[in-house]
Amino acid sequence: MAVQDPTKLRLLEAAGEEFAEKGFELARVRAICERAGANLAAVNYHFGDKEQLYREVLLEAHRCGLDPASEPAVAPLSPADKLRAFITHFCEHVIAFGGADSWQTRLMMREIVDPTPALEFLVRESIRPRFEQLKAIMREVRPEADEQRLDVLCFSVIGQCLHYKTARRVMERLIGDDRYQALTASYLADHIAEFTLAALGLGPPAASPVAVAEVRS
């Protein structure tokens, strides 16, 4: 990742906290600059205005600390291995990043529940490219499927992955904090990949002795 101006990085972090706490409308540029230890002109210099700052913060939240140039390896693998690689990459860079109380998670949840006009930008610039990548893999897995079927197959994969992030507080109360903490990103990636591949007919039944042995090998 290219080295960024430290003031810009502080503004992104401070804006993330401010927007996550108060939402776009109630967040104030002055408060963001105070959090960042920067003068008021810094936002205009680095981002142009509050709206563009919010867009950049949303991108950073969705990126989850991931280098924008980094993508999961998908070739020259079989369709099943491409899907496993995508799921592993997703879990390692979304589930494992931050926690349920991180500003990234809180901001994304706020934007999903009460979307702003910036959501269209986020979908176009960040979410759609990853979705289309998954859809291309799924098209290899199920070449006979129509677009609607491919859409819901992709949503099923994404939903499994995001569930462990968005429902964390409920899960902790259901199974206890210790057992939840044992659900590492790598463990969940193996489980979701095994479960999905089994459902698609590309692997043994989920949690069978053969499947467990394959995951551990």
Side-chain angles (χ1 to χ4, degrees), residues 23 78 86 137 141 153 155-156 164 202 204:
S78 68
F86 185 95
I137 296 170
V141 172
L153 287 172
F155 289 145
S156 292
Y164 294 94
L202 296 177

Side-chain angles (χ1 to χ4, degrees), residues 55-207:
R55 287 183 172 192
E56 291 297 324
V57 170
L58 275 180
L59 282 178
E60 187 63 26
H62 185 255
R63 191 176 295 140
C64 297
L66 180 65
D67 186 328
S70 174
E71 293 294 342
V74 295
L77 303 174
S78 68
D81 285 340
K82 288 180 184 181
L83 183 56
R84 182 181 290 279
F86 185 95
I87 292 170
T88 299
H89 186 268
F90 194 110
C91 290
E92 289 177 350
H93 293 96
V94 176
I95 296 175
F97 184 77
D101 295 324
S102 69
W103 70 257
Q104 290 89 350
T105 299
R106 288 183 286 120
L107 181 60
M108 288 302 299
M109 291 302 297
R110 179 186 284 275
E111 184 64 26
I112 290 169
V113 172
D114 186 18
T116 69
L119 182 60
E120 185 67 31
F121 168 82
L122 179 65
V123 170
R124 183 179 69 248
E125 298 297 320
S126 190
I127 297 176
R128 185 177 299 282
R130 295 187 190 182
F131 180 77
E132 292 299 333
Q133 183 184 45
L134 175 58
K135 195 169 180 179
I137 296 170
M138 199 62 75
R139 189 174 284 112
E140 291 188 54
V141 172
R142 280 287 175 269
E144 78 285 357
D146 61 20
E147 291 300 300
Q148 184 176 43
R149 177 62 63 183
L150 290 172
D151 287 341
V152 296
L153 287 172
C154 291
F155 289 145
S156 292
V157 172
I158 294 168
Q160 288 182 82
C161 296
L162 288 180
H163 180 68
Y164 294 94
K165 186 80 166 181
T166 59
R168 173 179 175 176
R169 294 308 182 198
V170 173
M171 290 180 169
E172 288 174 334
R173 286 159 176 76
L174 285 173
I175 66 176
D177 185 64
D178 289 345
R179 284 170 60 190
Y180 179 83
Q181 293 300 327
L183 300 177
T184 63
S186 60
Y187 181 92
L188 291 174
D190 284 341
H191 164 71
I192 295 168
E194 174 193 330
F195 191 89
T196 302
L197 291 172
L200 293 169
L202 296 177

